Amino acid sequence: MSYNKILSLLGNDADYLLKHQCETIKKQSIRNPTPDYVDESFALSNRPTPVLRSLAAMLGHGRLSGTGYISILPVDQDIEHTAGASFAPNPIYFDPENIIKLAIEGGSNAIASTFGTLAINARKYAHKIPFIVKINHNELLTYPNKYNQIMFGKVKEAWNLGAVAVGATIYFGSEESNRQLIEVSEAFEHAHELGMATILWCYTRNNSFKKDGVDYHNSTDMSSQANHIGVTIQADLIKQKLPETNGGFKALNFGKYDEKMYTDLSSNHPIDLTRYMVANCYSGKIGLINSGGESKGDNDLKEAVKTAIINKRAGGVGLILGRKAFQKPFSQGVELLNAVQDVYLTKEIDLA
């Protein structure tokens, strides 16, 4: 997708997203992704050399190879949201091989999925596209539902099936968050010992994070703190939803905050809200990847491109986008993944 096509797709949103310049946290203080991203962020870190090789394998694969940006296809919704609900729009994905084929044909840097999906296809595809094993899940059959991520396998098994990285979720704010934090930090330590990279899904979950009709789960002050805890346990990449609001700590009278968080370090613009997230990932030294969100139909292409623009201009390193791609016919899914990647390949779209 050319720059002119991106402009046409954005319509009235083009100037708002493409001409904005951050006056909150300036771009000079953010580490912008480059082809030398692994060296610049990790060469002097404690990460074992094989971890750098694993990160380089992901960043050196697919259409974004060598740019410092990353496009990941994640499919674990068959556990998190039920397989029927996830694959009913496109039943070919009940066969997990088609999930991997979509990632390959879509030019993704890596495929992130479950132990089962990747293990059943390991010998055929582990050498053809980097594998990221999602090692914990919130299965939906517990009634009543609760916000509890549990381990579905061992880090060593992810290594055995050829994965270059493991991913995990912590539901910060949930009753089980302390246990999840301990489990995941130990798992990430083991993954690094085995030479695998680590990706943390940093989500907030608590029914009390809603007040007066406003949902603060994606409030940038709260979700950015989740990011900051994530980089503290040595995640190599942070996955986070785009921020939708701010002021969660203030509205809920919860946690600690400084008024400058809202007046000096952020604004209501989505790029500024996301820039604050990047700042909480060690000023971009640990890459922020934003999720693509649920599929809502005909508007998915535009929304995916907008998300990519916000992430890139804020200082993020890419998108991890699944449902908008795999809940469409195969060719349309490939087209959507390529359109998102084109945002990161387009030089006219730069750091705000």
Side-chain angles (χ1 to χ4, degrees), residues 30-45:
I30 297 296
R31 173 157 291 180
N32 196 26
T34 69
D36 297 322
Y37 174 71
V38 174
D39 284 343
E40 292 174 354
S41 287
F42 297 104
L44 298 179
S45 75

Side-chain angles (χ1 to χ4, degrees), residues 141-152:
L141 281 180
T142 300
Y143 187 81
N145 297 152
K146 55 184 179 180
Y147 305 132
N148 189 14
Q149 290 277 332
I150 59 174
M151 291 291 176
F152 268 52

